[in-house]
Amino acid sequence: MAAAAAGAAAAAVAIAEAIKASGVLVRMDPANFVAILARAQTPLVVHAPGSLFAKRHHYLTSYKGLAFLTATGQPLDLPPAAEVIEARRIWTPG
């Protein structure tokens, strides 16, 4: 279990570093985020559940070199082919 958490944390850090390097982060509504996921054959999604005070689910994915982010009060219905990495938190610049 600890190895999976470490792997998820490493993946979240890698995506955050890629965002900082590229400088592109697209924030969008949940419906458009799911539409982006539907375009990818096997999308990789980082999910961070809401905290005690902020009960929002955060999702991050990459598609064609851009990073897409959304937040929603309810968990998203992700495509069956999506590989989901659970993270404690998703941090984004600005």
Side-chain angles (χ1 to χ4, degrees):
M1 191 76 148
V13 168
I15 289 176
E17 289 299 318
I19 291 167
K20 281 195 259 181
S22 69
V24 177
L25 178 64
V26 180
R27 295 178 195 271
M28 58 184 10
D29 65 69
N32 286 333
F33 184 85
V34 171
I36 290 290
L37 296 179
R39 295 178 186 184
Q41 193 171 19
T42 55
L44 175 64
V45 179
V46 178
H47 169 248
S51 66
L52 180 62
F53 300 108
K55 298 184 190 290
R56 296 185 62 80
H57 294 264
H58 296 269
Y59 295 89
L60 178 67
T61 195
S62 172
Y63 181 73
K64 293 194 176 187
L66 297 173
F68 295 90
L69 175 73
T70 196
T72 178
Q74 298 296 319
L76 290 179
D77 187 21
L78 301 174
E83 181 180 347
V84 180
I85 296 174
E86 294 295 332
R88 185 173 32 148
R89 182 173 177 237
I90 295 175
W91 178 88
T92 57

